[in-house]
Amino acid sequence: MMEMDKLVSLCRRRGFLFQSSEIYGGLNGFWDYGPLGVELKRNVREAWWRDMVTGHNDLATLPGAPESFEMTGLDCTIIMHPQVWKCSGHYDLFHDQMVDCRESKRRYRYDQVRGRWVEAKGDRIFVATVAETADEQDDVQRRALKYFNLRAKDAGELAWDGDFHALPQVPDLSRVLGPEATQLGTLTEPREFNLMFKTFVGALGGEESAAFLRPETAQGIFVNFKNVLDSSRVRIPFGIAQIGKSFRNEITPRNFTFRSREFEQMEIEFFCHPGQSNQWYQFWRDRRLAWYTHLGLAGERLRLREHAPAELSHYSTGTADIEYAFPFLPPGDYGELEGIAHRGDFDLRSHMEGKLDPRTCPLELEKDADGKPRWRGSGKDLTYRDDQSGERYIPHVIEPSAGADRATLAFLCEAYSEDEAPDEHGAPQKRVVLKLHPRLAPIKAAVFPLVKKDGMPEIAQDVYLSLKAHFSVFYDEKGAVGRRYRRQDEAGTPFCITVDGQTLADRTVTIRDRDSLRQWRVRVDDCVSELTKLLNPGAARV
Ligand code: ATP
């Protein structure tokens, strides 16, 4: 399996990802996409938007769908009316449990602290850690030795008891050595911490002007449901898509971009008749899984996990996660790429009537101590009237909610490979190659003159300019051609086009395929059509 640090260093070295504000020491949980990364992530977003929205065939019934449907989009603001988050439940409920360390003054997410029991000198303690999986054992061993006042050569005196497990499984925190503590029992009992970033709108700055950065893009869609209905001619069933930044003040951001504090979501709210919602749920679940497969995440690293009935909120008849076995996770663990949830009429009703109590069945408004609604809704009518049947109802919602950064990271992990390729003299050389799907590759083709003389650069530049009108391409004439190939392999460029001695005689160039290393010749004038064919092999869209 690929080691994560190889990918992390490639991402830095070749300009896929940098730590945000790196020259000032970086800011934990924030990442910048570099020159190659920005193109890759844009391609992920564009593939999603094209496959789900602009390229969607609304005239045919897609396989597995009960009928044909329309798709449309929105682009909402990051800061919305604070009442949105009160009615959606995020203001009261969107929190994680955290523990504080009285000694180190650090704060951790309760379920993300792990550790191991160990016994020495007649004492048994739980050594906690937040190190990455690969470094966990080193970290707990080093700290256990220190705690028991033992030297490295006495490591045999440490009797480890059981495997690593998470802190919530430890009933008594007084036996815990915190991740950065030197004494036992410095962690507080878990407390709740709201994940929304708070800000202030306008110059006054008081509580009245407090607002939040959105923790998800979905609510912008719900509050615009009526606007979309009234301004376009969509009829149920239909979906509204949105791509945009979301913010969560994650307590322990980690695992590269997997858990960031600022990230991008790609969300669909699909509105349908309650009687058809289970079928639509299954349709979206399967369709979204197929999307990842189509773009190259396949095999046992990708899986669909249906939530068990006990995990579901009772208004939902189904939720599934699309998960990927990221290399930074312990073997057998998967990380969520996307959640597909059947949300019933919970969200539209909350914005009509006010915050609903998710524990009630049927759903009821949450009341305060005086019996008044805890948070009032908009009072606007968000029901739908079917103009053919005359039926009026609150639509049910299926929500496929994906993360653009997590998808980008999964595509990078899956694409990273090492193999051997012959150099100019035919000798095998180790190479690093990103086998990205051509739709996702930041650069579609690189154009090289074999040498910087004999008119080769001029021809290569002509080829480059003619391709540039259609694709993202790269021109390179510096250094040995073998090195130029290897740089493109590392960037995931699927095709390299080389102008050589034979070009001068017959106006043909070689095209080299990144994965198979096959080379063939095409006429200079056919480069655009050849590349068009190669990049659009007519694969069925999902
Ligand atoms: P997790 O349990 O991993 O925190 P979640 O279940 O809270 O995720 P959702 O609220 O369902 O996530 O958000 C939908 C999608 O948004 C996720 O599947 C993921 O791709 C993305 N996402 C959520 N939180 C983050 C984050 N902190 N960093 C990057 N992407 C995120």
Side-chain angles (χ1 to χ4, degrees):
M1 195 175 67
M2 184 254 304
E3 294 126 60
M4 197 59 200
D5 41 356
K6 288 190 179 170
L7 179 69
V8 174
S9 92
L10 174 79
C11 283
R12 213 195 116 52
R13 185 160 47 81
R14 293 307 312 275
F16 280 94
L17 278 158
F18 307 124
Q19 232 192 327
S20 162
S21 333
E22 198 181 272
I23 60 166
Y24 288 104
L27 188 59
N28 199 8
F30 296 88
W31 295 92
D32 292 338
Y33 286 80
L36 287 177
V38 63
E39 298 297 334
L40 172 63
K41 188 171 158 194
R42 277 178 62 128
N43 292 341
V44 170
R45 282 197 307 252
E46 276 167 21
W48 185 89
W49 193 262
R50 169 123 207 102
D51 294 346
M52 297 299 120
V53 187
T54 45
H56 167 66
N57 179 352
D58 54 351
L59 303 178
T61 301
L62 299 186
E67 57 182 296
S68 65
F69 61 92
E70 284 179 77
M71 289 295 297
T72 180
L74 270 180
D75 183 17
C76 307
T77 58
I78 285 168
I79 295 177
M80 300 170 68
H81 194 293
Q83 197 70 9
V84 168
W85 308 111
K86 292 183 173 157
C87 290
S88 71
H90 287 84
Y91 185 80
D92 293 335
L93 299 172
F94 191 56
H95 33 55
D96 277 339
Q97 298 223 305
M98 51 156 201
V99 289
D100 286 310
C101 177
R102 295 185 200 96
E103 183 188 325
S104 67
K105 308 285 177 237
R106 300 296 292 262
R107 175 169 285 184
Y108 310 101
R109 197 166 127 178
Y110 185 40
D111 61 350
Q112 284 175 356
V113 179
R114 286 160 49 87
R116 257 186 115 177
W117 286 102
V118 64
E119 217 175 306
K121 299 187 173 173
D123 207 2
R124 185 168 179 269
I125 65 166
F126 184 83
V127 189
T129 178
V130 285
E132 304 283 336
T133 316
D135 307 326
E136 274 180 340
Q137 182 56 33
D138 284 352
D139 188 52
V140 293
Q141 168 141 337
R142 185 181 49 78
R143 293 190 17 261
L145 287 171
K146 197 157 173 202
Y147 177 80
F148 287 114
N149 218 351
L150 293 169
R151 292 156 189 256
K153 67 174 172 52
D154 302 326
E157 286 185 38
L158 296 174
W160 296 101
D161 178 8
D163 209 350
F164 278 93
H165 58 80
L167 193 58
Q169 290 165 34
V170 178
D172 177 8
L173 292 182
S174 70
R175 303 305 304 158
V176 173
L177 181 67
E180 279 136 302
T182 57
Q183 294 164 32
L184 290 189
T186 60
L187 296 182
T188 60
E189 286 302 314
R191 276 182 295 155
E192 279 166 353
F193 171 79
N194 195 298
L195 298 184
M196 284 198 293
F197 277 97
K198 199 172 185 180
T199 187
F200 297 94
V201 175
L204 288 175
E207 247 339 275
E208 252 114 280
S209 61
F212 301 96
L213 306 192
R214 66 180 175 200
E216 60 172 38
T217 61
Q219 299 303 322
I221 302 182
F222 294 126
V223 302
N224 275 296
F225 172 70
K226 196 98 189 113
N227 284 340
V228 173
L229 270 187
D230 293 348
S231 61
S232 63
R233 287 166 52 192
V234 284
R235 301 191 65 245
I236 275 182
F238 72 93
I240 306 180
Q242 171 161 228
I243 298 181
K245 286 276 175 111
S246 292
F247 300 81
R248 296 182 188 180
N249 204 354
E250 300 278 1
I251 301 164
T252 30
R254 58 197 294 184
N255 291 333
F256 212 14
T257 57
F258 181 82
R259 188 170 303 287
S260 314
R261 288 178 164 141
E262 173 173 344
F263 55 97
E264 212 159 358
Q265 290 186 306
M266 310 187 288
E267 294 195 294
I268 295 172
E269 304 304 326
F270 186 79
F271 301 93
C272 60
H273 189 280
Q276 267 189 342
S277 57
N278 285 337
Q279 268 172 288
W280 282 117
Y281 164 68
Q282 284 163 21
F283 165 76
W284 277 106
R285 188 195 58 190
D286 299 344
R287 183 170 189 225
R288 291 300 309 147
L289 182 70
W291 188 78
Y292 292 97
T293 313
H294 158 75
L295 287 171
L297 298 190
E300 66 225 34
R301 304 185 72 83
L302 184 73
R303 75 169 187 193
L304 185 92
R305 186 180 71 85
E306 282 277 358
H307 288 204
E311 280 180 87
L312 298 175
S313 26
H314 67 82
Y315 57 81
S316 169
T317 51
T319 297
D321 289 342
I322 297 174
E323 302 180 326
Y324 183 72
F326 285 97
F328 47 74
L329 297 173
D333 274 16
Y334 286 74
E336 176 183 325
L337 285 180
E338 168 160 355
I340 299 106
H342 181 305
R343 299 191 52 85
D345 60 5
F346 183 85
D347 307 276
L348 288 178
R349 268 192 66 194
S350 305
H351 288 302
M352 279 201 297
E353 301 167 21
K355 187 192 170 202
L356 299 168
D357 182 345
R359 292 159 307 189
T360 52
C361 180
L363 285 166
E364 284 171 22
L365 273 190
E366 189 174 319
K367 303 273 173 51
D368 63 15
D370 305 328
K372 300 223 182 73
R374 167 123 176 91
W375 303 115
R376 280 182 196 288
S378 68
K380 298 281 185 298
D381 179 9
L382 302 181
T383 58
Y384 175 81
R385 187 176 167 280
D386 187 319
D387 53 14
Q388 276 163 17
S389 68
E391 187 188 359
R392 184 172 279 286
Y393 57 91
I394 307 175
H396 275 197
V397 167
I398 313 300
E399 178 186 79
S401 167
D405 309 86
R406 282 194 191 172
T408 303
L409 185 58
F411 289 127
L412 277 169
C413 291
E414 185 83 10
Y416 184 98
S417 38
E418 291 174 5
D419 61 11
E420 282 193 346
D423 66 10
E424 312 62 322
H425 315 293
Q429 287 268 344
K430 200 178 127 218
R431 72 164 183 161
V432 171
V433 51
L434 284 186
K435 295 188 171 172
L436 289 168
H437 190 287
R439 285 183 77 190
L440 302 181
I443 302 167
K444 308 300 180 199
V447 185
F448 310 146
L450 184 64
V451 287
K452 227 162 102 184
K453 57 182 188 198
D454 302 334
M456 288 187 210
E458 289 72 12
I459 302 176
Q461 283 166 20
D462 282 350
V463 172
Y464 167 69
L465 289 176
S466 66
L467 291 171
K468 207 176 168 81
H470 307 271
F471 316 102
S472 132
V473 285
F474 186 78
Y475 176 76
D476 189 4
E477 57 178 29
K478 288 184 222 83
V481 75
R483 287 203 41 177
R484 283 181 263 162
Y485 280 137
R486 278 201 294 283
R487 279 186 68 76
Q488 293 307 315
D489 290 338
E490 274 188 350
T493 308
F495 303 103
C496 288
I497 298 175
T498 307
V499 169
D500 55 16
Q502 196 178 324
T503 314
L504 308 175
D506 66 3
R507 282 191 64 81
T508 63
V509 292
T510 58
I511 299 196
R512 168 188 179 268
D513 178 287
R514 175 195 69 198
D515 300 342
S516 67
L517 297 172
R518 192 169 75 85
Q519 300 206 14
W520 67 101
R521 298 197 78 88
V522 298
R523 285 160 38 84
V524 164
D525 298 335
D526 293 340
C527 280
V528 170
S529 62
E530 180 78 4
L531 208 56
T532 308
K533 216 165 61 202
L534 290 167
L535 293 171
N536 303 289
R541 293 240 192 270
V542 283

